[in-house]
Amino acid sequence: MSEQLQSDFDKIVKNSKFSNKEIQLKKDFLNKFIESGFPNRKQEDWKFLDISQIIKKNISDLSYFIDYSQSNKIDLSTFVDGLEHNKIIFLNGRIEKIDFNHEDQNKIEISDETKKDISFDYENSLIDLNSAFTDKVFKILVKKNYSLKKPLIIYHSTNDSIKSTNINLRLDFELGENSCLKLIDYFANNITKNFINIFYNFDLKKDSILKNYKIDKFRNDNLTYSFNNIEQGNNSVSETFILSAGSDYLKNEINCNLNGEYSSAFINGVFSLKENQQHEIRTTINHLVENTKSYQLIKSVLGRNSKSAYQGRIFVNSKAQKTDGYQLSKAILLDETSEFNAKPELEIYADDVKCSHGSASGSLDENSIFYLMSRGLNYQQSKELLINGFLLDVVEKITDLEIKNLIKNIIGLNEYK
């Protein structure tokens, strides 16, 4: 692996315009990754989804080189219809377009962060890999007292020109005081096997609001890892919704630091898995000061030979009195071969707190199905109605009505077997 990594790294350096300082910084990240390697089940955080074994089994001869000098044709059919929005388009790992035409251009600032120290103080070999191979790192600043008029959709797409390739993406966001950003991550990848490694860093200033919706709906055989780091100031709010359904293998990881008083974090997620898929959500909410709140609700519907996992950790610092933390996960297993794993954690060092967690799993209630059939529905219709009601409980937590309706339409009613 190290020979392939080094060879592809040398190609990227040769084709880039990085300075000697930037190259050395990337070499340091590369060496850290080579030393640690891909995460595996020996590490507690990866016990449910062993990415090292999955890559070895499903992606042969993984390549790390992409020629970013070549532009790609944008497929307009992948765009979201019926919702006016701003756009950032990633195609085969290359930013093809940044479009904020709906906004006041003086209130949005976009800068190239590649030439700055982009290190991140978090032990994670996949972030090291990302830092070593990322071509461009853009920072998007939403200035003080500005709320975007339209959502920003980030399109993540691949086409047939790349296969068995590692794609690394990074964006940094700063929300100024009393600003608001609605962000949709929209995955529309081709079916060719690739490993997609995404890192976002969010810095939420006082009174700012982030609403982030991650939509992985369309079936593909890629392996995707997405890491979000969220830093929150006083009275800031982050709302994250995850629809985890399309990729063969997907892990969403969120690390949220509630650094300011009266800051709040809400994370809601839906696993909707068909045959032979493995998906995971891992969250860490760090309550670091007084009067902070977090709420997490994760629900799974799992088909034949599919597997989902939810690892949720709530940490409460000794200074974080009057913390309110809630966490719940539930799963419906549609087949005896499906599997749900939950690992809830509470680590509390303060005494004036209100924290709880819970987890439950089981099959559909046959009595409820029989009742619906007695009212005129057939078996399949009854099953779909129960599943839909189970999942919509999570979707209803979305606070933006327009995006809530979009996601309801995307989920659909007739796709469970």
Side-chain angles (χ1 to χ4, degrees):
M1 180 183 76
S2 59
E3 291 182 3
Q4 181 71 51
L5 278 163
Q6 189 62 60
S7 174
D8 287 347
F9 181 82
D10 291 341
K11 292 178 186 176
I12 288 176
V13 169
K14 183 179 179 181
N15 284 270
S16 73
K17 297 180 181 179
F18 296 133
S19 67
N20 291 334
K21 181 180 178 181
E22 292 163 352
I23 292 171
Q24 185 57 55
L25 185 63
K26 286 182 171 291
K27 282 183 178 178
D28 292 342
F29 284 119
L30 176 65
N31 292 332
K32 283 183 66 178
F33 174 75
I34 291 174
E35 183 179 348
S36 301
F38 285 105
N40 59 62
R41 68 174 64 253
K42 294 180 181 178
Q43 298 162 264
E44 186 68 19
D45 298 342
W46 291 87
K47 62 188 295 183
F48 299 120
L49 197 154
D50 188 332
I51 195 171
S52 179
Q53 288 301 315
I54 290 171
I55 287 176
K56 288 179 182 178
K57 182 179 178 180
N58 295 277
I59 306 179
S60 59
D61 302 321
L62 183 64
S63 170
Y64 303 86
F65 172 70
I66 298 175
D67 185 0
Y68 292 110
S69 65
Q70 301 297 317
S71 62
N72 304 283
K73 184 178 180 181
I74 297 173
D75 182 2
L76 299 179
S77 68
T78 63
F79 284 8
V80 173
D81 290 328
L83 179 69
E84 289 188 329
H85 59 277
N86 305 290
K87 304 176 187 68
I88 296 179
I89 301 173
F90 282 102
L91 184 50
N92 295 343
R94 185 180 190 270
I95 292 184
E96 295 292 346
K97 188 173 185 179
I98 299 178
D99 177 0
F100 282 89
N101 288 342
H102 293 287
E103 308 304 326
D104 183 340
Q105 301 300 312
N106 294 323
K107 301 296 184 179
I108 307 288
E109 186 176 295
I110 302 171
S111 56
D112 184 352
E113 295 285 285
T114 309
K115 300 183 183 304
K116 299 181 181 179
D117 183 356
I118 59 171
S119 58
F120 176 62
D121 186 19
Y122 194 91
E123 291 299 320
N124 185 321
S125 65
L126 294 182
I127 294 178
D128 293 331
L129 176 65
N130 185 289
S131 299
F133 283 94
T134 300
D135 177 56
K136 292 278 188 182
V137 179
F138 284 101
K139 178 178 179 179
I140 298 170
L141 168 64
V142 181
K143 294 185 178 179
K144 183 177 179 179
N145 296 324
Y146 186 71
S147 296
L148 266 71
K149 300 171 186 175
K150 301 294 179 182
L152 166 63
I153 298 185
I154 300 180
Y155 290 95
H156 300 276
S157 301
T158 56
N159 59 31
D160 292 334
S161 66
I162 61 169
K163 185 177 181 181
S164 300
T165 302
N166 171 219
I167 298 170
N168 295 284
L169 314 173
R170 172 165 176 173
L171 288 173
D172 287 3
F173 296 85
E174 181 180 329
L175 275 62
E177 288 187 20
N178 195 38
S179 65
C180 179
L181 170 66
K182 290 184 285 188
L183 170 65
I184 299 174
D185 284 298
Y186 192 79
F187 294 87
N189 291 306
N190 197 281
I191 60 172
T192 52
K193 294 180 183 291
N194 296 291
F195 169 46
I196 302 164
N197 183 17
I198 302 168
F199 176 36
Y200 288 170
N201 189 57
F202 296 95
D203 184 5
L204 277 60
K205 303 302 184 184
K206 178 182 176 182
D207 298 320
S208 61
I209 299 173
L210 168 68
K211 298 184 178 185
N212 187 195
Y213 311 94
K214 299 181 177 298
I215 301 175
D216 171 65
K217 171 61 178 175
F218 302 102
R219 194 65 195 266
N220 63 86
D221 53 11
N222 291 296
L223 167 59
T224 303
Y225 174 68
S226 173
F227 186 96
N228 278 20
N229 181 64
I230 308 172
E231 305 287 341
Q232 295 192 219
N234 289 355
N235 204 40
S236 62
V237 178
S238 67
E239 175 188 322
T240 305
F241 173 85
I242 299 168
L243 172 59
S244 193
S247 301
D248 271 2
Y249 305 91
L250 172 63
K251 181 167 182 173
N252 275 290
E253 189 163 355
I254 297 170
N255 180 74
C256 181
N257 295 321
L258 299 175
N259 301 306
E261 278 198 79
Y262 302 103
S263 56
S264 303
F266 303 90
I267 300 173
N268 299 296
V270 166
F271 292 107
S272 178
L273 306 185
K274 308 301 185 293
E275 242 181 283
N276 301 312
Q277 292 177 278
Q278 292 186 46
H279 285 210
E280 179 178 338
I281 295 173
R282 180 173 180 265
T283 62
T284 302
I285 309 293
N286 297 308
H287 295 261
L288 303 175
V289 296
E290 287 188 351
N291 295 301
T292 57
K293 181 178 182 179
S294 63
Y295 179 98
Q296 302 175 75
L297 176 62
I298 309 295
K299 289 194 173 185
S300 302
V301 176
L302 307 176
R304 209 162 33 242
N305 290 316
S306 65
K307 176 181 176 181
S308 75
Y310 171 58
Q311 298 189 71
R313 179 172 179 261
I314 297 175
F315 172 83
V316 182
N317 189 283
S318 59
K319 299 178 182 179
Q321 304 295 342
K322 303 188 186 304
T323 285
D324 185 355
Y326 176 84
Q327 178 193 114
L328 178 64
S329 60
K330 291 185 175 182
I332 292 177
L333 310 180
L334 299 179
D335 189 87
E336 62 183 11
T337 61
S338 53
E339 178 182 335
F340 172 65
N341 296 281
K343 186 190 171 193
E345 296 178 73
L346 297 178
E347 187 175 349
I348 301 171
Y349 296 99
D351 50 21
D352 185 10
V353 303
K354 183 172 70 173
C355 291
S356 64
H357 63 70
S359 182
S361 61
S363 57
L364 280 173
D365 183 3
E366 291 296 330
N367 289 329
S368 297
I369 293 177
F370 176 77
Y371 172 80
L372 291 172
M373 291 178 68
S374 72
R375 297 292 176 176
L377 300 179
N378 62 34
Y379 183 83
Q380 185 64 24
Q381 289 170 332
S382 301
K383 181 178 170 183
E384 289 168 355
L385 186 61
L386 289 174
I387 290 172
N388 188 55
F390 177 76
L391 295 180
L392 283 181
D393 179 41
V394 184
V395 179
E396 288 295 341
K397 305 295 182 188
I398 296 173
T399 57
D400 185 276
L401 181 60
E402 190 175 29
I403 294 176
K404 181 194 296 186
N405 289 332
L406 171 70
I407 291 173
K408 283 182 179 180
N409 290 334
I410 287 173
I411 289 177
L413 302 178
N414 305 303
E415 299 184 11
Y416 305 102
K417 295 180 180 179

